[in-house]
Amino acid sequence: MDARTLSSPIHTLNLNEPCYVDLGTPVLEVINLMQEGQFGCVLVVDNRDQLVGIVTERDFLVKIMGKQIDPADVIVDAIMTPSPECLRPTDTVAFALNLMQLGHYRHIPLVIRDDKDKYPVSVVSIKDILNHVAAFLETGKEE
């Protein structure tokens, strides 16, 4: 592995479409979406399709499970992480990896930004980064 592997822009990774929900979505619906699509997180958007939060598997474990809370009675706004850290398409793999390590994140939204708005286009997961590095190690070149 050389510096090119980690200096690659995030947008060169093979990223999947993210799962989105609107503010006010019932948590039970979010859980079902995550189970059906096998998503590790869901992005929460407002009525202008702006990123306002992220919900991860960990949020359910910490904020719902074992707390006598019925997920059918809670909306996503109550358990999401608001204003999450984000990546831009030009950020490098090394930057993403460092941000994940410092913040203890497994998922970071990838957004296109203008002056103040954040339009989510994907999610970068630790698995995406590991796949990128592993592909380089197997073939000696980037994906």
Side-chain angles (χ1 to χ4, degrees):
M1 181 166 69
D2 63 20
R4 291 175 301 164
T5 305
L6 296 178
S7 63
S8 302
I10 281 295
H11 73 84
T12 63
L13 273 62
N14 187 18
L15 301 173
N16 295 320
E17 287 278 325
C19 182
Y20 304 95
V21 297
D22 294 320
L23 282 169
T25 301
V27 165
L28 194 54
E29 185 178 324
V30 176
I31 291 170
N32 288 333
L33 280 170
M34 290 177 75
Q35 287 177 335
E36 289 171 12
Q38 297 182 345
F39 296 108
C41 71
V42 171
L43 302 181
V44 182
V45 296
D46 65 14
N47 60 355
R48 297 180 310 126
D49 293 329
Q50 299 297 303
L51 179 68
V52 294
I54 187 171
V55 177
T56 67
E57 297 160 327
R58 185 171 291 147
D59 291 320
F60 297 115
L61 290 172
V62 172
K63 299 173 183 174
I64 299 282
M65 300 303 294
K67 297 205 176 193
Q68 308 300 334
I69 296 173
D70 184 351
D73 297 333
V74 180
I75 60 173
V76 71
D77 314 37
I79 67 163
M80 72 180 188
T81 299
S83 304
E85 294 274 0
C86 296
L87 295 167
R88 292 185 240 179
T90 55
D91 287 335
T92 64
V93 171
F95 180 81
L97 193 56
N98 187 54
L99 187 59
M100 288 177 163
Q101 191 274 326
L102 291 174
H104 304 284
Y105 307 131
R106 293 185 309 176
H107 302 91
I108 302 178
L110 180 66
V111 298
I112 297 173
R113 298 181 195 208
D114 57 23
D115 290 337
K116 61 182 172 128
D117 297 322
K118 296 178 184 176
Y119 298 96
V121 294
S122 193
V123 173
V124 178
S125 71
I126 191 66
K127 183 179 175 186
D128 296 325
I129 292 175
L130 291 174
N131 287 340
H132 176 73
V133 171
F136 184 87
L137 292 173
E138 287 176 7
T139 64
K141 60 181 180 177
E142 298 175 64
E143 288 186 310

